[in-house]
Amino acid sequence: MPTTDLAEAAIRWYDANARDLPWRGPDATPWGVLVSEIMLQQTPVSRVLPAWEAWLARWPVPAALAADTPAEAIRMWGRLGYPRRAMRLRECAVAMVERHGGEVPADLDELLALPGVGTYTARAVAAFAYGQRHPVVDTNVRRLVARASQGEPDAGPTTTAADLVATEELLPLEPARAARASVAFMELGALICTARTPKCADCPLAEACAWRVSGRPASTGPTRRPQQYAGTDRQVRGLLLAVLRGTTGPVPRTRLDLVWPDDVQRDRALTSLLADGLVERHGERYALAGDVRM
């Protein structure tokens, strides 16, 4: 099957089987697409959906978020995890107001210049919001391309220039069709060509998949272990932030001391929140960054 046929097969499957997600709908704005891409990093769709809807209801355009405080962005982020993403989104909103008239730029270089926007996110917004032809490569796409095109059981641990080239070679030349193929590859990787239990019988690329044709050889690389959460500094950070999100002003250190019994770990977690700019210290009291209600 020629490479362009792989894309067309993926698109046909996507048109019939794609999940109905609001940031993919005809009414989705470039801002909505950008917010979804930031939220979906390391967070499952089921948790992102209500958070995305609440975020867009409160801040439907970048200027609305830019006019609000960092503290409110952190509060609204809730328990999605990795709360620095909330700070980056607000910084993006401020930059878009200052540089782009409050609009999400369509140019790839301008997207890459936004705070916290990397290779994947910039290309995802350019493709999914503006219908441009760019290789959009996340973990799912890398795995799909490695299997279908190269016969490898999995891709490497990080995205490389070679991954971008290999994915771009599969895209149709017409930009809107290429953008459709990009989201189709992503959905196939997420739902069908999964890491542990790929559903080859349901895959529209199965007949031409080099990995399946070669007998589905097992990976010889290291196995990725799921990240632990219970008992980690991430959990302690979350507990500290939960206290601050639930207040209307700074709280004394003694109140924060109640969230975790290990003094050393609690101090380390609080210090990291201060270093990340998520929390500010005011004497012996602490508040979310930029909280004006003091």
Side-chain angles (χ1 to χ4, degrees), residues 23-283:
W23 47 82
R24 292 176 177 169
D27 297 330
T29 64
W31 171 238
V33 172
L34 175 60
V35 172
S36 75
E37 291 298 338
I38 298 295
M39 286 187 169
L40 286 164
Q41 294 169 9
Q42 299 177 289
T43 308
V45 167
S46 60
R47 293 182 60 200
V48 167
L49 269 170
W52 183 88
E53 291 170 345
W55 191 280
L56 269 293
R58 179 166 180 175
W59 298 305
V61 295
L65 177 57
D68 217 330
T69 64
E72 287 308 303
I74 299 168
R75 283 194 175 92
M76 199 68 176
W77 196 257
R79 301 301 298 270
L80 277 182
Y82 302 99
R84 279 178 292 181
R85 292 180 292 171
M87 298 283 285
R88 299 293 85 79
L89 258 177
R90 185 183 175 277
E91 290 168 5
C92 276
V94 171
M96 285 185 279
V97 169
E98 294 175 347
R99 306 173 195 170
H100 306 292
E103 301 293 331
V104 178
D107 179 77
L108 181 61
D109 289 336
E110 290 179 343
L111 285 166
L112 286 166
L114 292 173
V117 173
T119 296
Y120 165 77
T121 302
R123 285 169 169 78
V125 173
F128 304 152
Y130 293 110
Q132 297 177 14
R133 186 181 188 275
H134 295 290
V136 183
V137 182
D138 68 353
T139 299
N140 292 320
V141 173
R142 287 193 300 113
R143 181 174 58 252
L144 178 76
V145 173
R147 288 173 175 174
S149 295
Q150 301 156 15
E152 299 292 336
D154 210 336
T158 58
T159 301
T160 66
D163 293 320
L164 295 174
V165 171
T167 304
E168 186 171 12
E169 289 176 349
L170 300 179
L171 299 179
L173 293 178
E174 199 275 317
R177 201 66 178 167
R180 194 71 171 171
S182 290
V183 71
F185 289 152
M186 190 172 298
E187 192 80 336
L188 267 175
L191 301 182
I192 301 297
C193 192
T194 58
R196 297 184 181 276
T197 56
K199 304 176 183 67
C200 294
D202 300 326
C203 182
L205 313 183
E207 290 186 5
C209 176
W211 180 63
R212 190 196 66 82
V213 170
S214 64
R216 295 178 34 160
S219 175
T220 58
T223 301
R224 295 182 65 182
R225 296 181 179 178
Q227 291 185 338
Q228 298 294 322
Y229 180 74
T232 65
D233 286 4
R234 279 186 57 217
Q235 182 184 16
V236 183
R237 282 166 56 101
L239 293 171
L240 293 168
L241 284 177
V243 172
L244 298 177
R245 284 199 308 268
T247 66
T248 57
V251 302
R253 173 63 183 265
T254 53
R255 185 169 172 187
L256 296 178
D257 288 345
L258 298 175
V259 306
W260 197 254
D262 186 330
D263 293 347
V264 173
Q265 188 176 21
R266 189 180 62 246
D267 288 348
R268 185 170 64 240
L270 181 57
T271 298
S272 71
L273 289 171
L274 291 165
D276 287 344
L278 293 164
V279 173
E280 295 173 345
R281 181 175 179 176
H282 302 272

